[in-house]
Amino acid sequence: MSAQEKSMSVSDEMMIEMNGVHKWYGQFHVLKNINLTVKRGERIVICGPSGSGKSTLIRCINRLEEHQQGEIIVEGTELTGNLKHIEQIRREVGMVFQHFNLFPHLTVMENCTLAPIWVRHMPKQEAEEVAMNYLRQVQIPEQAEKFPGQLSGGQQQRAAIARSLCMRPKVMLFDEPTSALDPEMIKEVLDIMIELARDGMTMICVTHEMGFAKTVANRVIFMDDGEIIEQNEPEEFFANPKNERTQLFLSQILQH
Amino acid sequence: MKTVQQQYEVGRHPDLPPPLVERGVVKWVRDNFFSDATSIVLTAVALYFLYKVVPPFVEWAFVDAVWNADHRNECRARGEGACWAVLRARIAQFTYGYYPAHLYWRVNTAFVLLFVALAPLLFEHVPGRRYLLWFSLAYPVLAFFLLWGGLGLEPVESAKFGGFLLTIVIGVTGIVGSLPLGILLALGRRSRLLIVHTISMVFIEFVRGVPLITLLFIASTLLNYFLPPGTYFDLLLRVLIMVTLFASAYLAEVIRGGLAGIPKGQFEAADSLGLGYWKSMRLIILPQALHISIPNIVNTFISLYKDTTLVVIVGLADPLGISRATLADSKWQGLSTEIYIAIAVFFFVSCFAMSRYSLYLEKKLHTGH
């Protein structure tokens, strides 16, 4: 995607705002003063060494993790203990996990239609049509009636992406979506994500796929030790990393 | 000697059958009975044991058995075989207890309808399942009126219930009642709400920590002290409640084990799709947790079913209670072997059916590789 193409879909509308967010696991300070804003249509890649708090950060956005200080506002709704608000936000925020987390007792089709039917109260037939469209988009329409256990890792992750899309989310969170995949399956998943980016989906991806970051990201964020160390446009980020830790990290992952 | 050497192209050689000793009955017998010295000895011992036990039993139970007689002495006069005549004479009591004979049809109807109600619950491909499920839902009420009377049907007291009828009433009620209660208790024990968690935990630990007999005694005697004087509370009803509570505490722990076996990612995926607590439990978590727990759940059901025989201690006439009465009758004294075998067969058939069903269910629900 060209730089122009990348910036085209970004609007001024604020999707996610994190102001001074802190989080602790017991004594351990995982997130330290996180300030992050994401606009509609923006695509952000978060990278950093393991244990740096990247996953925790995006998991705070749909409150799979609870933050203890600061505010997180998603689409104008602030995340607090209010269950109604949490469920409302979760309906609008899709999430793709490292280990897919498909429901093994349901077919791929049922995985995709479950939430639209039970949460959005969509009629079954309509939900199935929607699901079939997205399964076609992720190129596994022929797997619809199979169970997740019968699919390859790459197919499972694509099914998981389709499942999230079926809720027609406004933002998609990707938590290391390719880390659990065999090398030959990484590309098929990344291709789907690139296509999604082209369609203008607002995305936040935690990933080590730097090629992907260069292709689709408007901004790359580097985190270490619970802090956002550096953020920049990908060209600048990879060409002239400013912080030492960023330089060290990039030299380590780009060596091979 | 000349051997014929047939030449084949590489990769074209047809498959040959394995040699005779490596296939068929010969191989199976060798592998399973005569694979080494120990196995040969064990086979020999087993054969000798079967030779000693099976023919005499068959002779006693079938060949020399007496099926028609008016009392024990008539049996004995005709030989040494089993005196099954006692069962013929007392079959009605063993089946219905002291239920009025002219109302047996009500018990029979309830029994047949039980299977109609169970079919759509147990099997997916039952014609008209959708409508039958409504019937299943209504069945407990229907069965209640059929068995106890009311709504124009002649009322029958609980005290008249007995025999296999009693076993089935207690067993089925216990099973049907304890499953939902057990699920709620298991969820309660995992709840983050302090009160719900504490109530569930105390209940489970108390009920599980006490023998069923104690609970039955509480039901039959102690409860009277706690209830306001003059309240009458049917003994069978009290027993039904106790058995259900007892089984539900065990089930709760079994199901909690199943819940613990569900990966955290499943909860997170359900949460991230915006399914609330009850929907994610009902649609995602419980189906998987119950699936994992099937063998243990059925195990609990089987043991509950057999524990129904304990009610004889609080004076209910289950098959063992009836057998006491029968053995006390001078006409049939001393025929305990025949009677206990019959009761054992009844329990075995019921429990074996449950066990087979659980295997079938496990197989059906298996979706991965």
Side-chain angles (χ1 to χ4, degrees):
Chain A
M1 288 168 88
S2 66
Q4 196 199 351
E5 206 183 338
K6 275 189 201 171
S7 58
M8 239 167 53
S9 59
V10 181
S11 76
D12 286 335
E13 195 187 333
M14 208 64 89
M15 281 302 297
I16 299 167
E17 260 186 276
M18 297 176 93
N19 296 321
V21 172
H22 288 263
K23 174 170 178 61
W24 290 264
Y25 286 129
Q27 290 293 310
F28 181 54
H29 199 171
V30 237
L31 293 181
K32 299 171 186 165
N33 193 27
I34 300 290
N35 294 292
L36 176 70
T37 54
V38 183
K39 291 182 185 138
R40 178 187 286 279
E42 225 181 341
R43 290 168 299 276
I44 293 182
V45 164
I46 305 178
C47 60
S50 69
S52 58
K54 325 175 280 281
S55 290
T56 312
L57 190 154
I58 68 164
R59 288 157 59 87
C60 281
I61 296 172
N62 65 354
R63 213 178 173 85
L64 289 183
E65 304 285 352
E66 202 175 312
H67 61 286
Q68 281 106 17
Q69 229 181 68
E71 54 171 14
I72 302 178
I73 300 166
V74 182
E75 256 222 307
T77 310
E78 190 183 347
L79 269 172
T80 55
N82 186 328
L83 266 177
K84 261 213 169 114
H85 288 176
I86 294 173
E87 280 174 24
Q88 184 195 328
I89 286 172
R90 283 174 176 168
R91 283 198 287 272
E92 308 301 336
V93 178
M95 186 160 207
V96 174
F97 300 86
Q98 182 177 1
H99 296 288
F100 330 135
N101 297 351
L102 288 169
F103 306 129
H105 62 301
L106 302 175
T107 61
V108 169
M109 177 56 90
E110 289 165 337
N111 265 277
C112 291
T113 55
L114 184 107
I117 290 174
W118 289 91
V119 180
R120 291 231 190 271
H121 307 290
M122 200 185 272
K124 190 176 175 216
Q125 203 188 340
E126 190 188 337
E128 285 183 347
E129 282 163 20
V130 171
M132 210 55 204
N133 269 332
Y134 285 115
L135 287 173
R136 257 182 238 125
Q137 188 181 332
V138 301
Q139 292 164 17
I140 47 168
E142 72 287 356
Q143 312 290 351
E145 296 313 316
K146 288 197 187 157
F147 287 99
Q150 300 166 316
L151 268 54
S152 75
Q155 290 171 330
Q156 288 192 47
Q157 192 59 299
R158 287 187 279 156
I161 294 173
R163 176 177 70 178
S164 282
L165 292 175
C166 283
M167 282 294 281
R168 302 216 166 104
K170 303 211 167 86
V171 190
M172 286 285 281
L173 308 174
F174 291 85
D175 189 0
E176 306 207 21
T178 56
S179 302
L181 294 176
D182 290 334
E184 77 271 21
M185 291 171 185
I186 291 177
K187 186 173 175 294
E188 63 188 50
V189 171
L190 290 180
D191 285 346
I192 300 297
M193 291 168 63
I194 292 169
E195 197 190 318
L196 210 53
R198 283 219 166 87
D199 292 347
M201 176 64 80
T202 313
M203 295 163 76
I204 305 180
C205 313
V206 172
T207 182
H208 292 136
E209 298 295 333
M210 292 302 131
F212 171 76
K214 281 177 195 161
T215 316
V216 307
N218 301 99
R219 227 187 320 161
V220 180
I221 291 176
F222 174 70
M223 280 184 77
D224 192 12
D225 201 19
E227 286 176 288
I228 294 181
I229 304 288
E230 185 168 349
Q231 48 179 315
N232 217 330
E233 290 176 4
E235 294 77 17
E236 195 57 20
F237 179 87
F238 290 110
N240 302 307
K242 304 211 164 46
N243 192 290
E244 264 174 53
R245 283 194 266 179
T246 320
Q247 292 161 4
L248 179 68
F249 175 74
L250 287 178
S251 72
Q252 279 168 341
I253 61 164
L254 296 177
Q255 246 168 21
H256 304 288
Chain B
M1 203 168 90
K2 198 178 148 199
T3 47
V4 184
Q5 284 285 336
Q6 170 78 50
Q7 293 292 326
Y8 293 97
E9 276 177 58
V10 175
R12 288 300 169 100
H13 200 297
D15 291 341
L16 292 174
L20 196 57
V21 290
E22 283 300 320
R23 62 186 147 119
V25 184
V26 180
K27 176 174 161 59
W28 185 83
V29 168
R30 250 167 58 128
D31 285 357
N32 289 292
F33 295 114
F34 303 103
S35 55
D36 57 29
T38 324
S39 145
I40 290 169
V41 172
L42 287 176
T43 303
V45 171
L47 283 176
Y48 180 72
F49 179 77
L50 288 177
Y51 165 74
K52 276 299 203 189
V53 170
V54 174
F57 179 78
V58 170
E59 210 168 305
W60 176 80
F62 300 106
V63 182
D64 294 344
V66 180
W67 295 88
N68 279 310
D70 288 332
H71 48 78
R72 179 177 173 272
N73 292 340
E74 201 183 322
C75 278
R76 287 289 163 268
R78 286 205 241 149
E80 287 301 301
C83 182
W84 300 122
V86 60
L87 297 177
R88 278 182 79 114
R90 296 294 186 120
I91 188 76
Q93 255 187 34
F94 273 104
T95 314
Y96 305 99
Y98 306 106
Y99 208 87
H102 67 285
L103 298 177
Y104 283 170
W105 68 270
R106 273 163 43 182
V107 177
N108 296 342
T109 313
F111 185 68
V112 171
L113 290 181
L114 171 66
F115 289 95
V116 180
L118 282 178
L121 295 175
L122 300 183
F123 303 101
E124 220 174 327
H125 301 289
V126 175
R129 180 163 187 254
R130 201 172 269 225
Y131 307 102
L132 276 177
L133 280 172
W134 287 106
F135 177 73
S136 310
L137 207 63
Y139 177 78
V141 179
L142 184 66
F144 175 83
F145 286 115
L146 274 173
L147 294 176
W148 275 272
L151 289 182
L153 291 169
E154 188 181 326
V156 178
E157 285 174 52
S158 292
K160 306 264 191 212
F161 284 50
F164 298 129
L165 163 64
L166 189 68
T167 302
I168 293 171
V169 166
I170 300 175
V172 171
T173 312
I175 287 171
V176 171
S178 64
L179 187 61
L181 198 54
I183 291 173
L184 288 178
L185 283 168
L187 293 177
R189 195 167 182 174
R190 287 170 61 94
S191 171
R192 274 190 287 178
L193 305 171
L194 186 68
I195 296 175
V196 176
H197 170 83
T198 313
I199 291 175
S200 311
M201 194 186 69
V202 169
F203 177 87
I204 291 170
E205 294 302 340
F206 171 75
V207 173
R208 221 165 41 129
V210 173
L212 177 57
I213 297 199
T214 318
L215 290 179
L216 292 177
F217 274 126
I218 293 176
S220 72
T221 56
L222 275 175
L223 222 50
N224 286 339
Y225 297 111
F226 299 132
L227 294 171
T231 16
Y232 174 73
F233 201 170
D234 192 281
L235 176 62
L236 178 53
L237 184 60
R238 284 182 269 168
V239 165
L240 285 174
I241 291 173
M242 284 302 180
V243 168
T244 306
L245 294 183
F246 184 75
S248 68
Y250 275 88
L251 275 180
E253 286 300 278
V254 162
I255 292 165
R256 193 168 69 97
L259 288 170
I262 304 300
K264 208 168 140 240
Q266 293 291 309
F267 292 86
E268 291 181 348
D271 282 349
S272 75
L273 287 170
L275 293 163
Y277 176 80
W278 289 107
K279 280 180 191 165
S280 75
M281 286 301 144
R282 195 185 125 199
L283 300 166
I284 310 297
I285 307 302
L286 281 173
Q288 297 184 61
L290 293 176
H291 178 196
I292 305 177
S293 316
I294 288 171
N296 287 326
I297 291 175
V298 174
N299 197 27
T300 309
F301 284 167
I302 287 176
S303 95
L304 172 146
Y305 192 74
K306 291 186 300 180
D307 281 352
T308 57
T309 49
L310 290 173
V311 300
V312 72
I313 290 184
V314 294
L316 294 183
D318 85 315
L320 289 183
I322 300 283
S323 70
R324 275 189 186 175
T326 308
L327 291 170
D329 183 344
S330 59
K331 275 161 71 179
W332 303 109
Q333 259 172 2
L335 294 174
S336 50
T337 316
E338 284 86 344
I339 289 172
Y340 287 142
I341 286 179
I343 295 174
V345 167
F346 167 77
F347 274 99
F348 177 77
V349 169
S350 322
C351 295
F352 189 65
M354 282 192 247
S355 161
R356 298 309 297 184
Y357 177 74
S358 93
L359 285 179
Y360 155 82
L361 198 58
E362 271 180 74
K363 230 175 173 174
K364 195 187 86 177
L365 293 178
H366 181 79
T367 56
H369 275 306

